[in-house]
Amino acid sequence: MKPEREFFLVTDVPWTPALGGVVPGLYERIIAADPEAGVATRILRFDPGTDTTPAGVQIHAFWEEVYILAGSLQDLTLKQTFRMGAYACRPPGMPHGPWLAPQGCTTFEVRYVVKP
């Protein structure tokens, strides 16, 4: 289970390279997580010009909900741009990306597993 936490400043959580640093310019703040269960809540930051092509198309074994807080993302597979205020809910196994963020982007994400 994720740890119990009362209100705290998200800015107190440091930015760390996302995806193990495979994608330059992609950083995350993991604000709650249970690594054993494979669940997390994070803020993901794409610096201007970030291109996630080196990470390829993403497919997860968990649900992922994403809300764009600022900026925009171009989905290079769908050839669509998604802007601030857009939301996605992806079930396990749904392919998505890669992404390009010409002006940068910040998202809020929740990842979770649903047990049968």
Side-chain angles (χ1 to χ4, degrees):
M1 293 182 41
K2 290 181 186 177
E4 180 179 322
R5 298 189 74 179
E6 187 49 81
F7 285 106
F8 64 97
L9 293 176
V10 172
T11 53
D12 288 344
V13 178
W15 290 108
T16 58
L19 298 174
V22 171
V23 175
L26 187 65
Y27 297 93
E28 64 186 357
R29 280 186 167 138
I30 305 215
I31 54 178
D34 179 351
E36 276 187 36
V39 298
T41 302
R42 71 178 182 167
I43 297 176
L44 188 64
R45 183 185 84 211
F46 299 74
D47 286 347
T50 299
D51 182 345
T52 69
T53 299
V57 172
Q58 298 291 295
I59 300 174
H60 310 141
F62 48 79
W63 282 88
E64 180 180 59
E65 296 186 57
V66 181
Y67 180 75
I68 299 177
L69 296 170
S72 64
L73 286 174
Q74 294 176 2
D75 185 310
L76 298 175
T77 300
L78 298 176
K79 297 181 180 20
Q80 288 185 290
T81 299
F82 302 99
R83 303 184 192 303
M84 181 176 70
Y87 166 82
C89 184
R90 302 181 182 123
M94 179 182 169
H96 54 285
W99 305 96
L100 179 62
Q103 287 79 40
C105 185
T106 304
T107 64
F108 176 79
E109 301 181 5
V110 179
R111 297 173 165 190
Y112 54 94
V113 176
V114 176
K115 305 274 183 192

